[in-house]
Amino acid sequence: MQRSVIVRALGREGVQAVVCHAPDDLPALLAEHNPDLLLIDAHLPQVNGLEVIARLRRQHALGPARVMVISSLAFPEVVQRAAVHRVDDFVVKPVQVEDFLGRVRRLLREP
C-alpha cells in the first residue's frame, strides 16, 4: 500500500496522519503531535525502521503510542526483532485497506 493510500484511508476513518519524511525528524514530530499510533516501514531507504523504533524507545520518545510495522519482508528473524522492540502489530505487504484499517481500529481501542 502506498503512503498516500494509507493517509487517505486513515482520513476517511477520522484518523489524522502526520507523515515524517526523515527519520531524524521523528522525535520532534512525536513530541509535537503526541500520536496514538506510529506506523513505520521496517525497511526505510536511509535506515532500518526497527532500529528507529529501538532508538525511540531508548530515548523514551514514543510515550504511550502503539507501534505498527509494515514490511514486505516477513522473515522469522525480522518478525522476532520486531517483537523484541515491543511492536504491537506487524503487517506484511501487500496489505488490503480494510484489513489494515481493522488492525488500526483494534490498536486504537486497546488500552
Side-chain angles (χ1 to χ4, degrees):
M1 219 173 9
Q2 294 178 332
R3 182 183 310 161
S4 60
V5 173
I6 290 172
V7 170
R8 280 196 307 272
L10 290 171
R12 286 193 306 271
E13 290 289 313
V15 175
Q16 178 187 7
V18 176
V19 177
C20 181
H21 298 282
D24 290 341
D25 297 340
L26 197 49
L29 279 174
L30 290 169
E32 180 182 344
H33 295 280
N34 193 27
D36 296 317
L37 176 67
L38 171 67
L39 173 63
I40 190 166
D41 197 305
H43 299 283
L44 301 168
Q46 306 97 336
V47 66
N48 182 303
L50 297 176
E51 292 303 320
V52 171
I53 294 167
R55 186 174 349 125
L56 292 170
R57 292 225 187 266
R58 282 193 304 273
Q59 297 170 345
H60 304 285
L62 280 173
R66 309 302 296 267
V67 178
M68 178 187 285
V69 170
I70 287 188
S71 178
S72 58
L73 303 174
F75 299 121
E77 58 272 10
V78 175
V79 176
Q80 289 170 353
R81 284 192 61 220
V84 166
H85 296 304
R86 299 187 323 270
V87 167
D88 297 293
D89 199 356
F90 191 99
V91 180
V92 179
K93 294 180 191 178
V95 65
Q96 299 299 314
V97 173
E98 286 307 313
D99 177 57
F100 168 75
L101 290 174
R103 290 167 175 258
V104 168
R105 284 186 216 108
R106 180 184 56 81
L107 286 176
L108 294 177
R109 276 196 316 263
E110 291 179 356

